[in-house]
Amino acid sequence: MAAAAIATEAGRPTYSAGAYWDTRYMGPAKNFDWFFNYPALKSLLREYLPSGRVLHVGCGNSNIQEGMAADGFTVTNVDISPVVIEQMKHQHADIHSLDYMVADCRDMRQLESSSFQSCIDKGTLDAVLCSQSGQIDAVKYLHEIDRLLEPGGKFLLISLGAPSARLALLQKQLWDYIQVLLLPKPLLYLRSDAVMTGRPLPLNCAANKDEPIQALGPWPASAAVQEVASQELDTRDYFFAYICTKPQLLEQQSEP
């Protein structure tokens, strides 16, 4: 998902509205990835996601699913916008390991429980949280992810939200074990911020959206906020990745 201002709620843009995304994606299809393109994320995905069936929530017109398919993943891509889903079905009609369907992340009942080994989200939770009912909607969404992942499955969340803002939500809802990574922002984002705020460009940044990520971490959730503070890191210079592991079933945990 993305940020913009077409659909509004109480006079504010809302990025959880399907109408906004339909309007955004109308016109000539043009692939666009928020945060990073696939080449930047490739090593991260290989390290933290198991091979197998992946759910990509809020897929938009990203190229990440095409890259994942080339690397052997089978990806089910969902988005709230019928417009972009039809575009991507047409674009990837010859890639049999990619499926596309319209779905609201808060209620994906058309998908079978425990049917995915992993799930990836690049900005969708951020968009859900933008509405007035964002916290309630986020809880619904996270419970859907929990339902759809098999025991031991991985949820990879790439977000604007720093650990101080995201960990409480993730830990409260579902996952006991969460790892946190800081992802240096590409230079294009930092230049825009420098123009607006007058801040100097940081030394630790990615040259572009394709450069392989040189992440900081991982840190367990219990240590992440303290690590950021102790290293005097400016969270404005980073995006954040949260690797959440769904607990195994109790009977599996008790096996010798």
Side-chain angles (χ1 to χ4, degrees), residues 16-45:
S16 59
Y20 163 70
W21 297 106
D22 281 342
T23 304
R24 183 180 185 91
Y25 291 124
M26 286 178 182
K30 182 179 180 181
N31 291 102
F32 184 82
D33 271 294
W34 299 96
F35 305 129
F36 301 98
N37 295 325
Y38 182 71
L41 294 171
K42 184 174 182 176
S43 60
L44 182 73
L45 298 180

Side-chain angles (χ1 to χ4, degrees), residues 158-176:
I158 298 176
S159 173
L160 292 166
S164 58
R166 289 290 178 269
L167 283 175
L169 178 62
L170 293 171
Q171 290 174 309
K172 181 179 179 181
Q173 297 308 319
L174 302 170
W175 293 281
D176 295 327

Side-chain angles (χ1 to χ4, degrees), residues 205-226:
C205 63
N208 53 59
K209 292 169 67 175
D210 290 306
E211 182 177 279
I213 292 171
Q214 302 296 317
L216 302 184
W219 300 304
S222 59
V225 174
Q226 184 177 350

Side-chain angles (χ1 to χ4, degrees), residues 105-108 140-148:
C105 67
R106 297 164 293 190
D107 182 359
M108 296 180 278
K140 292 178 180 178
Y141 168 36
L142 293 175
H143 277 283
E144 277 292 86
I145 298 303
D146 181 57
R147 179 182 69 82
L148 293 169

Side-chain angles (χ1 to χ4, degrees), residues 184-205 232-240:
K185 287 182 178 179
L187 192 56
L188 68 93
Y189 294 110
L190 294 167
R191 280 177 174 156
S192 298
D193 182 66
V195 169
M196 291 186 291
T197 66
R199 292 197 309 127
L201 292 173
L203 297 177
N204 186 27
C205 63
E232 299 182 346
L233 300 172
D234 191 330
T235 56
R236 293 174 294 179
D237 297 333
Y238 299 90
F239 298 128
F240 307 90

